[in-house]
Amino acid sequence: MAEETRSDDYARLAAVGPYGVRPGHALITLVEPHPGHEYAYNRWYEDDHYYAGAMAMPWMYAGRRWVATRDLQLLRRPEKSAVAEPVTAGCYLSTYWVTEGRYDEHMKWTVGINKRLNRDGRVYRHRRHVFTAFQDHEATVYRDGAAGPRDVHALDHPYRGLVLEVVDAEDAAGRAELLEWLRSRNLPRALAGSPAAMVTVFRPTPLPGDRMTYVQQVEGVDTRLTLLWFLQDDPRECWEACFTGREEAVAGSGLGRVELLAPFVPTVPGTDLYVDRLR
């Protein structure tokens, strides 16, 4: 009877609440494996955690992993970052979409499953969370209007690169103005004629108090915006042309400052491609 009740609960929960496909929320997590643990970390995350700790969860419907080889790490700016110390920290970036309106339900599940994974010895310890946050979607700016893939497709479309940009407003009151400047003025100009098809903009939310102890509480929840630039070219091919002057443009607005600008390429699932190029 108890088993039947649990099965009935699944049917009841699926029958109510939001169930659209809009990426209302995201998990964006930048992680640095400890030196000497690169291969083991990659295999653990790809073979187990990506699925058991993320994609198998309710309302998390799309995901993709990205990697920064050493040459990509050395392109990062600014030299002194409030996000990554040193600025080259964080070889692997994972990005996930969560259905709009389902954040609370997803968080209950993710905290519960990660406690279970930890208890069962399925959490790899030899790593550091550099920048891990659940985030609420604020805007998506497209280069080609309605002619290209939507943000709902972004983690499945075969983009050749991604740039993570973290921008801090001067204060909490100024974040809305910074967002509007980015959405209506800066990003449309930056995207025009570039290999970036879209930029998604998120704001971080606090992690729950019962989160796993190895994940630090999110900083900048009142002042920070997180931008994901989806590139149709390898970021090495367009870095200078597209991202030179990015920090100056934001600072020149008087509304904020770039705290991290970091390029990545997609991992190739089922392989250890790039693992030998991280150091």
Side-chain angles (χ1 to χ4, degrees):
M1 180 63 70
E3 185 64 34
E4 292 177 0
T5 301
R6 287 197 293 270
S7 296
D8 288 346
D9 285 345
Y10 281 103
R12 179 179 58 81
L13 291 171
V16 298
Y19 68 119
V21 298
R22 183 174 182 268
H25 319 277
L27 170 59
I28 301 171
T29 175
L30 179 64
V31 174
E32 177 74 7
H34 293 175
H37 291 266
E38 295 84 0
Y39 282 93
Y41 168 79
N42 187 55
R43 291 273 46 87
W44 164 76
Y45 198 101
E46 186 167 278
D47 296 344
D48 188 7
H49 199 63
Y50 177 82
Y51 299 104
M55 293 302 297
M57 298 190 202
W59 310 114
M60 181 171 273
Y61 66 88
R64 195 161 196 185
R65 295 184 70 217
W66 313 83
V67 61
T69 52
R70 187 61 180 171
D71 60 330
L72 289 168
Q73 295 166 33
L74 293 174
L75 295 176
R76 293 181 183 179
R77 302 194 299 266
E79 182 177 346
K80 293 184 178 181
S81 168
V83 175
E85 177 58 44
V87 71
T88 53
C91 299
Y92 285 102
L93 177 71
S94 296
T95 51
Y96 303 94
W97 290 168
V98 177
T99 299
E100 184 176 29
R102 290 294 191 174
Y103 175 78
D104 291 340
E105 293 96 325
H106 176 79
M107 286 304 300
K108 291 290 186 182
W109 189 285
T110 193
V111 170
I113 201 68
N114 276 286
K115 286 182 177 179
R116 182 181 179 187
L117 291 167
N118 186 59
R119 184 178 67 244
D120 292 346
R122 288 172 63 183
V123 173
Y124 197 81
R125 299 292 185 184
H126 302 289
R127 75 197 201 278
R128 174 167 68 98
H129 282 265
V130 177
F131 176 70
T132 292
F134 281 87
Q135 316 227 6
D136 287 341
H137 180 260
E138 287 287 353
T140 300
V141 181
Y142 296 102
R143 181 192 61 201
D144 303 325
R150 306 290 84 199
D151 51 15
V152 66
H153 309 124
L155 302 184
D156 297 306
H157 189 81
Y159 287 112
R160 295 182 60 197
L162 177 139
V163 172
L164 169 67
E165 180 179 5
V166 181
V167 182
D168 281 347
E170 294 302 324
D171 51 44
R175 184 168 64 178
E177 189 177 0
L178 172 62
L179 172 63
E180 181 56 30
W181 175 77
L182 288 166
R183 174 169 44 196
S184 63
R185 297 175 58 190
N186 175 258
L187 292 178
R189 289 197 299 265
L191 286 170
S194 81
M198 73 177 82
V199 180
T200 56
V201 185
F202 295 88
R203 59 175 174 84
T205 60
L207 289 169
D210 56 352
R211 71 192 183 278
M212 301 309 295
T213 56
Y214 51 78
V215 181
Q216 294 183 344
Q217 186 54 270
V218 178
E219 298 179 353
V221 294
D222 296 323
T223 58
R224 184 159 287 175
L225 294 171
T226 305
L227 286 65
L228 300 178
W229 298 69
F230 290 91
L231 306 180
Q232 293 172 319
D233 289 350
D234 186 303
R236 285 164 286 224
E237 299 171 2
C238 61
W239 186 251
E240 291 301 323
C242 296
F243 294 97
T244 296
R246 182 77 197 143
E247 299 143 284
E248 292 77 8
V250 174
S253 72
L255 301 172
R257 61 192 178 278
V258 174
E259 289 292 358
L260 182 63
L261 197 64
F264 297 83
V265 293
T267 62
V268 179
T271 77
D272 288 317
L273 187 65
Y274 303 122
V275 176
D276 61 346
R277 305 183 213 172
L278 302 179
R279 307 300 180 196

